[in-house]
Amino acid sequence: MKSLEKLVSLAIRSRKWRHNVFESLLKILNNKKIKRKITYVYILCVLLPTVVTNLILLGSSFRLYINERNININNIADSVSHDIVKALESAVYVTVDLYTSASINDFLERNYETDSAYFENYRKVFDNYVFYASTKHLVNDITFYSDNATMINGGKYYRIDTIQEEEWYQKFKEANTDLYVYPYYQNTQNINSKKRMISVIRKLNYLGVKEREKIVKLDLNYNQINESINSLAFDTKVYLCNLDRIIFTSDSEAGNPQNDYPESTLNDRKDVQATRKFNVYGIDWEVYVTGYKVDFMAYLKRNLWLMSVLFLADALIPAVMLALFSNSITRRILLLGEYLEKVRNESFELLPYGDGKDEIGDLLVNYNHMTLRMKTFIENELKSKLEQQELVMARQQAELQALSSQINPHFLFNVLESIRMHSVLKGEEETSSMIESLAKLMRKSADWGTDNITLEQEIGFTRDYLELQKYRYGEGFHYKIKLEEQFYSLRIPSLVLVTFVENSCVHGLNRPGHNGSIFLSGYEKDGYFYLEIEDTGIGMDEVQVRRYEKRLNEAGIQELQKSGSLGMLNASIRLRKFCGEGTRILIESEPGEGTCIIIRIPSDYMDRNQAGTKTRN
């Protein structure tokens, strides 16, 4: 049971592993272009198998070539072996005819009383048989020997006593056999008689007196046998050896028949490609074949055109077809992607391409249908949105007017309260000048019929307010305004800047015995226009700063209606509605050191809302 559970667990893990590998490969492919995927398909499924297949075929061809070479080498060795056996057997067959010939036996055993009787019998035997036999079966010469003392040496017949010192006769006697094959080198005083010999020696004891010694020696045609071996060797070197001597060979360096048989060292040579060992009539022979060259490059060149045609047929045709398939797919997909990019940029154009009835062709047709419907839908939706936008703008204008009307009483209350406190502290004499400044503020307020004014007008209004505050705080109060004229034409909601300045005066500098300052500046940096109102008042801690920032930047009309405070909250809402939601109020403050309120307005708002360059009054 446990074994079965283990097998099931292994099968599940194997399946999960295969699934994970498949998903990983799929993720990699999903990030590749279609053309690259088709290239991968061509390389992995066409080109690589084609190369591998051609290499396998090439290897198989080479192995067949090697096998053919081995077969040829073995055939050469077998042919040489067969030819030498056939030559020796032919010679032996001749000796058999001589061995059983009654006339030859009678000639060799007869006692001749006169020389004329000998020569008369010699002509009969020679004319009737010996000449015919000597012209057959690679036999170069036939010589008879007998211990008949009445024979005369010469021609084809000799007495035994004339050859007792010959090497071949001694080897024949040592072998003690009726038939003997012996290769030897005939080395006589006459240089033309020095040559390699191979002889078949046989006793003629089939007929006649057994005690009389009679033999026949057949000398084979050495040169003809050697030429036969040369014709069988082709481009190789063949060596036919006996008793560590090279008897026949196709090697010109060792094959001169005028020289003695060279010694054989072929047993120790590593270049021997084929060997045959056999025994013929008691003689051991070895055949060695060397020098068969494997010219694979020549073989490869002979078959290169066929391999090239096969490779081109296997690789080029699929490449052309895959290129056509790739262009058929990618060209239309890229065109579709180009027009979808236009849709993303809110340009709804119809595809001019209508070819193809495949899945991609259907996709292009559906894209045109979708684009037509989207274009119609967006035009209708845009008309509806414009109507709604007009209503929203009208409502926002009403809200801005309401905010503007709410701030006036609040502002005037604070100003009048300042005048009252100053009258109590300083007496009646300075009251008239303060009322005059207040009158200026009220006249300017009465002249503004809209909620937005230029920054130059807002700065002038703020300067009048700061002059009034200077009456209140005395010589210990200072202010400074730094703003380049290029920003004067920027339009902002009215009473916004003075609201933040008022907050700095009332909440930042309202301390007994404290001398304070207000600094107001404006500049442009990194795509934004900044207005800074900095005081040297009591400051705030980090918690208060973050709380005020969040409230000023996130508050809406509903929160303003619920709040009892109208000042900076009112101003920040009006700024965002007028200058865009990218407008932000930033606060930097340290307890006991002062507070800096930063109004950050996007520069693109300035480009749209500047009222034209205007000189300062």
Side-chain angles (χ1 to χ4, degrees), residues 374-384:
M374 287 182 63
K375 189 175 182 180
T376 302
F377 174 78
I378 289 174
E379 288 176 352
N380 294 334
E381 187 69 16
L382 183 60
K383 185 183 293 185
S384 176

Side-chain angles (χ1 to χ4, degrees), residues 358-516:
D358 57 357
E359 291 84 351
I360 299 178
D362 294 340
L363 183 63
L364 300 181
V365 171
N366 290 332
Y367 165 82
N368 283 342
H369 290 322
M370 178 194 71
T371 303
L372 282 173
R373 296 190 65 181
M374 287 182 63
K375 189 175 182 180
T376 302
F377 174 78
I378 289 174
E379 288 176 352
N380 294 334
E381 187 69 16
L382 183 60
K383 185 183 293 185
S384 176
K385 289 289 184 181
L386 288 174
E387 293 175 354
Q388 294 180 6
Q389 189 67 25
E390 290 177 357
L391 295 175
V392 169
M393 291 179 64
R395 187 182 66 185
Q396 289 181 345
Q397 185 65 28
E399 291 175 352
L400 290 173
Q401 293 290 346
L403 290 171
S404 179
S405 63
Q406 288 176 353
I407 197 170
N408 287 325
H410 176 73
F411 170 71
L412 291 176
F413 175 79
N414 288 333
V415 172
L416 292 175
E417 178 64 18
S418 296
I419 294 173
R420 187 187 67 81
M421 292 296 299
H422 192 76
S423 298
V424 172
L425 296 175
K426 296 255 182 155
E428 298 290 338
E429 296 177 358
E430 298 178 1
T431 302
S432 59
S433 61
M434 294 179 66
I435 293 174
E436 183 180 0
S437 295
L438 179 59
K440 291 180 181 179
L441 293 176
M442 294 184 69
R443 280 197 302 271
K444 290 181 180 180
S445 177
D447 291 339
W448 300 334
T450 60
D451 185 56
N452 62 88
I453 60 175
T454 64
L455 187 56
E456 182 182 16
Q457 291 174 310
E458 183 71 10
I459 290 294
F461 188 44
T462 303
R463 183 178 287 105
D464 288 338
Y465 173 78
L466 289 172
E467 286 294 329
L468 288 173
Q469 295 303 315
K470 193 169 184 180
Y471 280 111
R472 176 183 179 185
Y473 292 108
E475 296 300 327
F477 176 80
H478 302 280
Y479 72 88
K480 184 177 182 180
I481 299 175
K482 182 180 180 181
L483 186 68
E484 296 180 7
E485 291 188 1
Q486 61 177 332
F487 302 121
Y488 284 172
S489 60
L490 181 66
R491 304 190 74 85
I492 63 172
S494 62
L495 302 178
V496 166
L497 192 56
V498 74
T499 300
F500 289 104
V501 171
E502 177 198 11
N503 183 77
S504 296
C505 292
V506 174
H507 300 289
L509 302 178
N510 190 16
R511 288 183 296 168
H514 178 75
N515 294 329

Side-chain angles (χ1 to χ4, degrees), residues 119-158:
F119 283 114
E120 183 179 354
N121 282 277
Y122 175 82
R123 281 196 303 270
K124 290 179 181 179
V125 174
F126 182 80
D127 292 339
N128 293 333
Y129 191 82
V130 176
F131 177 77
Y132 171 77
S134 64
T135 60
K136 303 295 182 181
H137 306 296
L138 297 176
V139 177
N140 188 52
D141 197 12
I142 301 176
T143 308
F144 295 92
Y145 300 90
S146 174
D147 59 358
N148 186 348
T150 63
M151 290 179 59
I152 298 173
N153 294 324
K156 303 296 181 183
Y157 303 95
Y158 293 86

Side-chain angles (χ1 to χ4, degrees), residues 138-179:
L138 297 176
V139 177
N140 188 52
D141 197 12
I142 301 176
T143 308
F144 295 92
Y145 300 90
S146 174
D147 59 358
N148 186 348
T150 63
M151 290 179 59
I152 298 173
N153 294 324
K156 303 296 181 183
Y157 303 95
Y158 293 86
R159 292 192 301 270
I160 293 294
D161 56 4
T162 62
I163 59 170
Q164 288 179 346
E165 300 301 324
E166 295 288 336
E167 178 187 356
W168 63 267
Y169 180 74
Q170 292 177 1
K171 292 292 183 179
F172 173 67
K173 296 296 284 184
E174 289 175 6
N176 193 23
T177 180
D178 290 346
L179 180 66

Side-chain angles (χ1 to χ4, degrees), residues 72 75-76 79 228-238 250 292:
N72 290 339
N75 287 339
I76 291 171
S79 297
S228 176
I229 290 175
N230 282 332
S231 67
L232 294 173
F234 297 103
D235 294 329
T236 64
K237 293 181 180 180
V238 176
S250 62
Y292 194 104

